[in-house]
Amino acid sequence: MGEMAHQTYPSATLYVVATPIGNVTDISLRALHVLSLVNAVACEDTRNTATLMGRFGLHKPLIAAHQHNEREAAQMLISRLQAGERIALVSDAGTPAVSDPGARIVDAVRAAGLRVLPLPGASAAVTALSASGLVNDQFYFVGFLPAKAKQRENFLGTLRSVTATMVFYEAPHRILDCASALAAAFGPTRQVVFARELTKMFEEIHRCPLSEAEAWIKADGHREKGEFVVLLEGAVPADDENDAEADRILQILLAELPLKQAAGLAAQITGRKKNALYDRALVLKG
Ligand code: SAM
């Protein structure tokens, strides 16, 4: 903690502070220091933040700043910052403004010419990626999928040719629907990782092909509870040289056969991977 005494914490600044996603001891020393010196903490839910701060013996004025009042809260925070205050912005868990309130406040504070200083910490997406074993230098953060089946299906259709690992957040009561929608949209062979209850007592990180995803969730009644990050393997990158020929063969087969069979035959004819051809066939079928 002594190190921090030599660091400067400017006034008239909004501190965007990441908080733990489950394990309370994941809070950083710097986060605790900043929470102890700010004039007030703007938070998604004052009860949650009061509980978190109380565990570290911290008691500060709390300002409600949630998705229903973000614009008004931003104006009030700007006035206080202009008066020289230091204010922390936190969400219920993880990094504010990432599938959480905060982005509008940060935007307004920056537009007012005031300083925004981020304090890094837990984010469920990055935590899940780090333990997934999915080898890919790129990831595509999707966040929450549309709740309605048709919208979700249409949206997933737009992701079929994404080659980066895709990162979804999902509510527990929708996890089964999510698994079946992913299997329908991307086919049975893509790898999926369910990162459940990260940093908590019943943490599970399970990887399987999409064909086995629903069965894994159903195998334990507890799995439809808890919090989930879902990671989906990206499409196999296109190999430019043989693309046109593979597409031509696939188009012919798709006109006559179901998608799975067409992909399998195209794999035998071209010597290319069935997964890649399956993905491509999904794109060609629109
Ligand atoms: N801002 C947060 C972050 O940086 O991770 C995310 C907040 S978002 C409202 C909540 C979603 O994050 C949950 O529905 C779940 O998908 C994911 N999540 C949060 N905590 C998690 C945990 N401990 N394990 C797995 N997923 C988690």
Side-chain angles (χ1 to χ4, degrees):
M1 292 296 267
E3 290 277 331
M4 277 173 307
H6 307 294
Q7 298 178 0
T8 50
Y9 293 88
S11 56
T13 296
L14 180 75
Y15 293 85
V16 182
V17 181
T19 57
I21 56 168
N23 187 324
V24 78
T25 60
D26 283 336
I27 197 153
S28 75
L29 293 177
R30 192 161 164 241
L32 288 176
H33 185 65
V34 163
L35 291 173
S36 74
L37 64 78
V38 291
N39 299 91
V41 180
C43 49
E44 190 178 357
D45 183 323
T46 52
R47 282 163 308 177
N48 284 348
T49 300
T51 305
L52 176 72
M53 295 196 36
R55 291 186 74 164
F56 296 101
L58 298 170
H59 304 281
K60 291 281 171 179
L62 301 178
I63 303 164
H66 42 73
Q67 58 172 342
H68 304 296
N69 77 341
E70 236 187 301
R71 281 179 215 282
E72 306 86 82
Q75 290 318 308
M76 192 260 278
L77 295 176
I78 287 169
S79 308
R80 293 184 65 158
L81 292 166
Q82 281 167 338
E85 291 194 5
R86 295 177 180 88
I87 296 183
L89 172 69
V90 302
S91 62
D92 279 351
T95 302
V98 177
S99 294
D100 256 347
R104 285 198 179 86
I105 290 174
V106 169
D107 182 38
V109 168
R110 289 175 60 85
L114 291 155
R115 187 158 178 194
V116 176
L117 210 146
L119 270 73
S123 180
V126 175
T127 307
L129 276 166
S130 73
S132 71
L134 291 172
V135 182
N136 190 331
D137 287 338
Q138 298 180 326
F139 69 88
Y140 181 113
F141 180 72
V142 180
F144 289 102
L145 286 168
K148 293 202 174 121
K150 192 67 200 160
Q151 285 169 0
R152 188 171 52 216
E153 185 189 321
N154 291 342
F155 178 69
L156 288 175
T158 68
L159 300 179
R160 283 202 186 107
S161 49
V162 171
T163 53
T165 297
M166 283 158 274
V167 183
F168 304 91
Y169 283 167
E170 194 50 280
H173 62 279
R174 279 203 285 265
I175 194 67
L176 251 188
D177 286 348
C178 170
S180 58
L182 290 179
F186 297 93
T189 54
R190 289 246 200 139
Q191 294 284 303
V192 64
V193 175
F194 293 100
R196 178 176 170 271
E197 293 288 85
L198 290 166
T199 78
K200 303 186 200 176
M201 189 181 296
F202 298 109
E203 177 180 277
E204 286 185 288
I205 300 169
H206 179 76
R207 177 170 163 174
C208 63
L210 275 173
S211 57
E212 294 168 19
E214 271 191 72
W216 179 77
I217 296 166
K218 286 179 182 160
D220 179 338
H222 293 105
R223 293 216 175 107
E224 283 182 74
K225 298 180 184 122
E227 299 192 276
F228 280 93
V229 179
V230 181
L231 305 176
L232 181 69
E233 183 185 32
V236 178
D239 163 359
D240 292 344
E241 240 178 52
N242 299 317
D243 261 6
E245 181 59 2
D247 276 6
R248 195 182 68 80
I249 292 168
L250 266 177
Q251 299 270 29
I252 294 168
L253 295 170
L254 281 169
E256 306 293 333
L257 298 169
L259 198 137
K260 198 172 168 187
Q261 219 179 330
L265 271 177
Q268 285 181 38
I269 297 167
T270 61
R272 301 179 77 186
K273 287 203 173 120
K274 194 172 158 190
N275 276 7
L277 290 165
Y278 192 97
D279 286 340
R280 186 64 193 150
L282 284 169
V283 173
L284 292 176
K285 281 210 99 172

